[in-house]
Amino acid sequence: MPETFLDQLIYMFFLVLKIVAIVVPLILTVAYYTYMERKVIGYMQIRRGPNRIGPLGLAQPFADVFKLLLKEIVLPENANKFLFLLAPILSLAPAFAAWAVIPFDDWAILANIDAGVLYILAMSSLGVYGLIIAGWASNSKYAFLGALRSTAQMVSYELAMGFALVGVLILAGSMNLSEIVMAQKGGVFDWFWLPLLPLFGIYVISGLAETNRAPFDVAEGESEIVAGFHVEYAGSGFALFFLAEYANMILISALTALFFTGGWLSPFEGVPFLGDTILAEGSIFWFLAKTVVFMFIFLWVRATFPRYRYDQIMRLGWKVFIPITIVWVMVAAVISVFGLIVRGS
Amino acid sequence: MPIYEIVFYLFSLVMLTGAVMVITVRNPVYAALSLVLTFFSAAAIWMLLEAEFLAIVLVVVYVGAVMVLFLFVVMMLDINVAPLKEGFIRYLPAGVLVALLMAAELLVVLWSKGRFEAGAYPIQAPNPEGFSNTKAVGEVLFNNYLLAFEVAGVILLVAIIAAVALTLRQRSGGHRQNPSLQVRVRPDERVRLVKMKPEPRQGS
């Protein structure tokens, strides 16, 4: 803790600088993630995707952003004005705040706290409020139904996700995200995806459900309830929800990379020949590459699978995922107690 | 030092405002949201006491789960305020009695043993670096109070089973789906393919 008031001010200035260094690239990533989504899905459906604005359509995200920001903000007549305007902010703030504890590399982390995993869980559970308030404040049946569906779904799948993380915590012996990554040191087969394979799968699938993405996107099933909780939002309000959803998708991808595939550690560690070169060094590029792979899986799944029915979603979450995770937590405990894998070797 | 105090008073102010709003606001949804705000500020103040595990668990459990379900219920109720206000005078004596009783209980606690005098709780020395709150809670819970912890778990389990048993009704005539049967359906059980010769079109 710095001593004088001036010291504290300088400390806070650098803190703000670091926050900007995380948030600005994050927003740009969201912008190009939407571009990537449209291109990837386009090619999977044998068409070209956006290609008119800028070379290869690369300026398309900015055109979209300016369109959304310059549009009129429509306030529904019978909406609860205060909560209606508060909801997008409540859904965006936790999506960004969670990034505070993400370690991008050994040295690149904003807040290296011991309860990092708990903090992530807390922030992701706060995101529900944005949706439920938006649905209620809009004073519209479709919006309310969408909000109920998505909150029930998020609360259910948070349990499966939490249990999947318990397995990781048992093997890593820590809730600090950097220490979880360092516990996986030693090469591809020391990463936690192998001993925790069922939990890894469940975490990725619950991640899809948690962010209300296809095939779990009944919350905004166009064919049933128009667009779900954000039907009544236009312009920048809608843009904020959009930003929050994509920031959450990137967050889940980054967390999967940290928990199950060794974060910034290199996959070439301990491999003959390549293991002695610079490729075996852990670096931020490995972390970003793994994150992009999981981000791609989000899009791939969306282009491939049809939408789930709502009761099937609930059944999958409660009756399939949660029992499997509980069993595998026991398995992880056995692995840990009998020392079948060695942390950080 | 001032930033610590600024943060403390800021969150205390927000928390007290939220707590007052819970009982004064007309709209039940606003009241529930004020309660969320109160919990959240309380968590922030616990964080200042270096009790980060408790603080975050408060947010995860109460803010993230309990209050969401509360909001569900409150939002779907169509509460008409007017009938609730009827009989205010009639119930006033009972209300005053309960309020006086609670105030008396509070005063007894506050006055006894000088428990809340200044200096009764000195400011704790900050925890040493590398001190893990979570580990400390876990060690106390699973070493010193294991039995109490397990008993609490069993009581909660009983409560869950009781809640399910009380609300579960076997209704007759309802349609039920058996997912494993649905999955095991084979096309030849549902569709019969018939081979037949083409017939001339009739009536032309």
Side-chain angles (χ1 to χ4, degrees), chain B residues 156-178:
Chain B
L156 284 176
L157 185 65
V158 169
I160 293 173
I161 294 171
V164 172
L166 284 176
T167 50
L168 189 69
R169 285 180 297 162
Q170 294 291 354
R171 271 170 290 192
S172 59
H175 294 286
R176 224 156 224 275
Q177 287 174 342
N178 186 343

Side-chain angles (χ1 to χ4, degrees), chain A:
Chain A
M1 202 66 167
E3 293 306 316
T4 66
F5 191 59
L6 187 69
D7 281 347
Q8 287 181 345
L9 276 185
I10 293 171
Y11 179 74
M12 282 183 76
F13 175 73
F14 276 104
L15 211 58
V16 171
L17 219 61
K18 284 183 198 167
I19 293 171
V20 170
I22 292 177
V23 169
V24 171
L26 179 62
I27 293 178
L28 283 176
T29 314
V30 169
Y32 276 95
Y33 195 22
T34 62
Y35 172 78
M36 179 179 161
E37 172 166 39
R38 295 167 72 175
K39 276 288 187 193
V40 165
I41 292 182
Y43 277 105
M44 285 187 181
Q45 296 167 346
I46 326 181
R47 50 190 179 83
R48 282 181 187 280
N51 63 353
R52 293 289 139 179
I53 305 173
L56 298 170
L58 276 169
Q60 182 69 42
F62 293 99
D64 290 340
V65 167
F66 285 120
K67 187 197 90 173
L68 282 172
L69 290 185
L70 294 177
K71 264 186 161 180
E72 184 190 355
I73 298 178
V74 183
L75 277 177
E77 183 80 3
N78 288 324
N80 186 323
K81 303 279 185 309
F82 174 65
L83 290 182
F84 187 80
L85 294 176
L86 187 70
I89 303 167
L90 278 183
S91 97
L92 185 64
F96 277 4
W99 284 88
V101 296
I102 299 289
F104 296 93
D105 198 347
D106 225 350
W107 46 272
I109 174 168
L110 179 62
N112 193 0
I113 62 173
D114 270 342
V117 174
L118 272 180
Y119 174 81
I120 295 274
L121 284 177
M123 283 305 131
S124 63
S125 62
L126 280 182
V128 177
Y129 281 98
L131 311 191
I132 191 168
I133 291 176
W136 185 77
S138 304
N139 207 354
S140 146
K141 287 190 183 66
Y142 291 133
F144 191 51
L145 283 175
L148 286 182
R149 281 184 181 192
S150 58
T151 23
Q153 184 179 323
M154 283 172 81
V155 169
S156 313
Y157 276 84
E158 232 157 51
L159 286 175
M161 265 183 134
F163 272 122
L165 289 188
V166 171
V168 175
L169 297 184
I170 288 175
L171 287 196
S174 170
M175 291 208 287
N176 183 313
L177 289 160
S178 302
E179 283 176 25
I180 289 177
V181 171
M182 289 321 285
Q184 304 179 47
K185 203 168 163 49
V188 182
F189 296 106
D190 286 313
W191 296 351
F192 285 159
W193 66 270
L194 188 60
L196 299 176
L197 196 57
L199 296 186
F200 175 47
I202 286 176
Y203 190 83
V204 172
I205 297 170
S206 305
L208 292 172
E210 182 78 7
T211 47
N212 287 321
R213 293 290 297 181
F216 300 101
D217 59 344
V218 287
E220 42 185 290
E222 303 91 342
S223 50
E224 303 154 24
I225 50 171
V226 198
F229 63 92
H230 56 58
V231 211
E232 306 288 343
Y233 285 86
S236 43
F238 174 73
L240 289 188
F241 277 123
F242 203 73
L243 198 57
E245 182 182 332
Y246 280 76
N248 272 328
M249 282 160 66
I250 300 172
L251 179 73
I252 298 277
S253 311
L255 289 176
T256 318
L258 286 174
F259 290 138
F260 294 100
T261 59
W264 64 81
L265 299 173
S266 161
F268 295 118
E269 229 176 321
V271 174
F273 308 122
L274 283 172
D276 300 328
T277 60
I278 196 161
L279 280 175
E281 297 276 315
S283 84
I284 189 169
F285 297 107
W286 287 119
F287 174 67
L288 296 180
K290 291 168 187 171
T291 309
V292 168
V293 169
F294 288 115
M295 282 159 63
F296 175 75
I297 288 178
F298 266 85
L299 308 180
W300 189 9
V301 168
R302 181 182 164 188
T304 313
F305 290 107
R307 188 176 289 146
Y308 249 121
R309 215 172 58 202
Y310 189 72
D311 59 316
Q312 290 173 330
I313 291 178
M314 283 298 159
R315 182 175 165 271
L316 184 71
W318 287 99
K319 293 189 175 174
V320 180
F321 280 179
I322 291 178
I324 293 178
T325 48
I326 290 175
V327 168
W328 212 263
V329 164
M330 302 291 173
V331 174
V334 170
I335 291 175
S336 183
V337 168
F338 289 97
L340 297 181
I341 65 164
V342 186
R343 270 171 215 152
S345 63

Side-chain angles (χ1 to χ4, degrees), chain B residues 29-67:
Chain B
V29 172
Y30 277 139
L33 289 175
S34 308
L35 194 55
V36 170
L37 189 64
T38 314
F39 281 143
F40 200 76
S41 317
I45 290 175
W46 283 3
M47 199 78 96
L48 282 181
L49 284 173
E50 304 189 357
E52 75 259 10
F53 179 75
L54 288 179
I56 297 177
V57 166
L58 179 73
V59 173
V60 172
V61 174
Y62 280 92
V63 177
V66 174
M67 287 314 293

Side-chain angles (χ1 to χ4, degrees), chain B residues 75-168:
Chain B
M75 281 176 175
M76 289 202 270
L77 290 178
D78 190 17
I79 297 178
N80 197 352
V81 185
L84 288 179
K85 293 209 165 156
E86 284 172 8
F88 180 74
I89 301 292
R90 192 151 58 92
Y91 294 124
L92 192 61
V96 168
L97 193 70
V98 171
L100 280 179
L101 217 66
M102 283 171 73
E105 281 173 358
L106 276 177
L107 285 178
V108 168
V109 173
L110 288 176
W111 270 332
S112 66
K113 299 179 200 160
R115 199 179 293 174
F116 289 93
E117 278 168 10
Y121 292 93
I123 297 171
Q124 279 188 341
N127 291 327
E129 200 161 319
F131 177 83
S132 172
N133 214 290
T134 320
K135 227 170 236 165
V137 171
E139 270 164 14
V140 172
L141 210 57
F142 291 110
N143 289 333
N144 304 1
Y145 298 105
L146 183 63
L147 183 68
F149 181 74
E150 304 259 309
V151 169
V154 172
I155 292 175
L156 284 176
L157 185 65
V158 169
I160 293 173
I161 294 171
V164 172
L166 284 176
T167 50
L168 189 69

